[in-house]
Amino acid sequence: GTTGSARISRRSSTIRIRSIPNRRVTPRTCVLVGLYAVGIWWVTIDADRVTKWRDERVLWQEASRLAPAKPRPWVNRGAAAYLDGDKREARRAYQQAFHLAQQPDRSRDERQLGQSLALVNLGLLAAERQEFALARRCLQDAAALNPLNADIQAALWTTQQYPDDGLGVSALDCS
């Protein structure tokens, strides 16, 4: 292209403007503009993610909303609620995880892990409430699913050191 100049008069002052050479849009320019747009989009998405997920409880609420049929986000949601002091929500989340882990469309490993994690946490919550018979029942069920887990065995042993609370416990009480 050509370059040229123009004169513009305005109140007795003269401004000289130089025109920019004509340039063709090249594939490289298109790629750079596209990368720039993707970068801006990514920063926007990432900022949203950081805002939502800076709090562990919010993170697992969002994860369980995005994958409501998966037991693992519900177990983690329960743990986050427990750490925030919301034991009622923790219990509800663990019960949901246990229910989801029982579904026949889950793999054998996912069923086993989801149920045992939920049962362990439900058992620990029961022990905290001094409902030792219920705690033992949940932990025994978890140990049956995962007999080599030393943490489950230790928690079960600990609850066996306490007397029964006199409450009748059925298998359904854990979930």
Side-chain angles (χ1 to χ4, degrees):
T2 62
T3 59
S5 60
R7 288 183 165 224
I8 301 175
S9 291
R10 186 170 183 201
R11 293 190 191 168
S12 73
S13 64
T14 304
I15 300 174
R16 193 174 182 125
I17 301 175
R18 296 178 61 145
S19 63
I20 299 174
N22 293 331
R23 295 194 183 240
R24 293 180 335 162
V25 176
T26 65
R28 180 175 180 253
T29 304
C30 291
V31 168
L32 290 174
V33 169
L35 288 173
Y36 181 73
V38 167
I40 290 174
W41 172 78
W42 183 257
V43 167
T44 304
I45 295 296
D46 197 43
D48 182 51
R49 193 174 302 141
V50 167
T51 300
K52 283 183 180 174
W53 291 11
R54 72 174 163 236
D55 177 326
E56 188 172 351
R57 191 163 180 187
V58 174
L59 177 141
W60 292 113
Q61 287 171 344
E62 179 74 2
S64 62
R65 184 187 67 77
L66 293 172
K70 295 258 184 208
R72 188 60 178 242
W74 287 96
V75 168
N76 292 336
R77 181 177 177 163
Y82 178 83
L83 291 173
D84 272 355
D86 189 348
K87 294 174 186 172
R88 179 172 290 164
E89 172 62 20
R91 184 176 183 189
R92 192 184 73 71
Y94 295 142
Q95 288 170 334
Q96 180 67 10
F98 181 79
H99 171 73
L100 292 170
Q102 290 178 316
Q103 300 305 308
D105 61 336
R106 299 275 154 240
S107 70
R108 180 182 164 276
D109 289 342
E110 192 175 18
R111 282 194 310 271
Q112 184 178 8
L113 182 63
Q115 288 179 48
S116 66
L117 285 172
L119 286 168
V120 165
N121 286 297
L122 288 166
L124 294 174
L125 283 173
E128 194 173 282
R129 293 188 310 269
Q130 297 185 359
E131 296 175 5
F132 297 113
L134 177 59
R136 276 192 290 281
R137 178 57 191 242
C138 292
L139 291 166
Q140 286 168 348
D141 290 350
L145 290 165
N146 203 343
L148 300 178
N149 187 301
D151 293 331
I152 296 172
Q153 297 299 331
L156 182 56
W157 182 86
T158 301
T159 62
Q160 290 170 342
Q161 306 312 304
Y162 295 93
D164 280 343
D165 48 26
L167 300 175
V169 177
S170 73
L172 297 178
D173 290 333
C174 289
S175 61

